[in-house]
Amino acid sequence: MKKNPLITIKNIFCVLTVSWSVLMLIEYLVCIVPIQLNDFLFEIFDFLLIFLYLGIWGLPIVFVISIILMAIVKVKYKNSDEKRLNILTIVIPLFLAGLMFLTNFNEQLQ
């Protein structure tokens, strides 16, 4: 069965949203939990910190695009494929946003 290109684009945006959210969640947890990293891990997380800063503005945009594409696919094709992916696309960014707002992320990142 051949998939529609719109469904493929939706799945790409959903995977991008989930992966960026997980990366930001791990990076933010490293920032707020007082642990000492050795030199190699510190360099890796220091490099990935740019994704955390970009994600503060970029992730909501990708999240909204994913939600719109999920709604279009559900209405147009009367099915909701990849239910687990759709749930993760909604839950992880909202959990991350809640965590960042509850812990006052602006002060944590400075």
Side-chain angles (χ1 to χ4, degrees):
M1 181 166 151
K2 186 178 176 185
K3 278 195 171 183
N4 192 308
L6 186 63
I7 295 174
T8 305
I9 291 170
K10 185 226 22 134
N11 288 339
I12 289 171
F13 269 95
C14 288
V15 168
L16 179 66
T17 302
V18 169
S19 59
W20 201 349
S21 298
V22 168
L23 180 65
M24 282 183 63
L25 183 63
I26 292 170
E27 188 71 30
Y28 189 66
L29 287 175
V30 167
C31 288
I32 64 173
V33 174
I35 58 172
Q36 294 292 336
L37 298 174
N38 62 16
D39 294 332
F40 182 68
L41 285 176
F42 181 78
E43 292 297 325
I44 291 173
F45 280 104
D46 191 40
F47 171 73
L48 294 176
L49 196 62
I50 189 72
F51 292 107
L52 184 60
Y53 287 115
L54 288 174
I56 291 171
W57 298 106
L59 187 63
I61 294 169
V62 176
F63 177 70
V64 168
I65 293 171
S66 297
I67 297 295
I68 291 170
L69 287 172
M70 281 190 286
I72 291 171
V73 166
K74 187 171 183 174
V75 169
K76 189 171 182 178
Y77 298 107
K78 306 283 191 254
N79 71 352
S80 143
D81 67 328
E82 305 289 333
K83 290 185 184 207
R84 282 181 261 150
L85 180 61
N86 292 346
I87 292 170
L88 286 175
T89 301
I90 295 169
V91 170
I92 294 176
L94 291 179
F95 175 75
L96 177 64
L99 178 68
M100 290 178 88
F101 285 127
L102 288 174
T103 57
N104 200 1
F105 70 94
N106 196 24
E107 288 180 12
Q108 295 291 335
L109 296 180
Q110 292 181 10

